[in-house]
Amino acid sequence: MKKLGILISGRGSNFEAIARAVQDGRLQAQIAVVISNRPEAKGLETARAMGLQAVSLPSKGVERSAYDRQLVQVLRQNNVDLVCLAGFMRLLTPVMIQAFAGRIINIHPSLLPAFPGLDAQKQAFDYGVKITGCTVHYVIEEMDAGPILRQAAVPVLPNDTVDDLSKRILAAEHQLYVETLQDVLTKI
Ligand code: GRF
């Protein structure tokens, strides 16, 4: 069974979707550890409630490479095969990228390369696109770049608010992340 390390910073709904898929056998993997760089992340509580190992590794004030060395240590201690970023709000350095070369994936709430960065749903909404979506991609040093694994398209409907659109994208994210993982895990 391949071991996942999931990195979060907040709500953790993508992590939870992955964890549910593992629980009910849709995903053949084990969640070895959930790590948050923010101690108050709701996802940490969810992980603990699900009986998973949840580690708070605060990043505030820690230099980026030094932080990544700590991350690598925790992930290696737990024999992690694949690192899944799920709302992890911190740019990784070569320390992490090289330690887990080709084994770090991320989900972003737009059809990359459109709308990278923060508030991608609002960026798409404000631009006036009629179709947006979400992307799961391999992580490289550059933010929200890296080879695309899968994407899902989500329509912007006439009376949408940004909130309506974000919710529709989030539902698509949960499905896309699980499907992509099913696929990636057969290849590593
Ligand atoms: C998601 O929209 C994800 O695409 C982005 O950050 C958000 C995290 O949400 N990278 P959650 O913590 O998984 O609920």
Side-chain angles (χ1 to χ4, degrees):
M1 199 80 101
K2 296 288 182 207
K3 293 190 175 183
L4 305 179
I6 304 188
L7 270 48
I8 63 169
S9 296
R11 180 176 56 186
S13 71
N14 277 287
F15 143 65
E16 196 175 342
I18 295 167
R20 300 264 171 237
V22 169
Q23 265 185 346
D24 64 26
R26 278 175 294 135
L27 198 57
Q28 303 293 309
Q30 187 193 330
I31 297 178
V33 64
V34 179
I35 305 173
S36 174
N37 68 316
R38 294 193 183 139
E40 70 280 10
K42 182 170 168 278
L44 282 179
E45 287 168 37
T46 312
R48 288 189 190 111
M50 292 178 94
L52 297 168
Q53 190 190 179
V55 175
S56 168
L57 201 62
S59 61
K60 207 171 174 192
V62 184
E63 187 270 324
R64 282 172 53 221
S65 305
Y67 185 75
D68 281 9
R69 279 192 284 278
Q70 296 179 32
L71 272 181
V72 170
Q73 196 181 8
V74 177
L75 293 165
R76 287 216 171 119
Q77 275 165 359
N78 287 281
N79 299 312
V80 164
D81 298 297
L82 184 69
V83 180
C84 305
L85 308 188
F88 185 67
M89 304 297 285
R90 203 167 155 103
L91 208 54
L92 296 178
T93 69
V95 171
M96 258 298 285
I97 310 273
Q98 283 163 20
F100 287 90
R103 291 188 175 226
I104 310 177
I105 64 177
N106 179 46
I107 188 154
H108 181 77
S110 75
L111 294 175
L112 289 172
F115 311 120
L118 288 177
D119 294 326
Q121 303 95 326
K122 184 172 185 302
Q123 290 185 53
F125 185 85
D126 289 348
Y127 196 94
V129 296
K130 301 303 174 203
I131 295 176
T132 180
C134 46
T135 303
V136 179
H137 63 94
Y138 284 112
V139 172
I140 59 173
E141 266 182 72
E142 195 187 329
M143 187 179 59
D144 299 329
I148 289 173
L149 282 155
R150 280 192 189 215
Q151 294 183 304
V154 173
V156 183
L157 301 180
N159 294 316
D160 267 356
T161 61
V162 182
D163 197 42
D164 297 331
L165 177 62
S166 301
K167 282 186 184 142
R168 194 175 307 119
I169 295 173
L170 192 63
E173 289 184 45
H174 296 162
Q175 201 180 334
L176 186 74
Y177 217 159
V178 170
E179 285 169 6
T180 310
L181 277 169
Q182 284 167 339
D183 195 35
V184 170
L185 287 167
T186 63
K187 293 174 185 156
I188 60 169

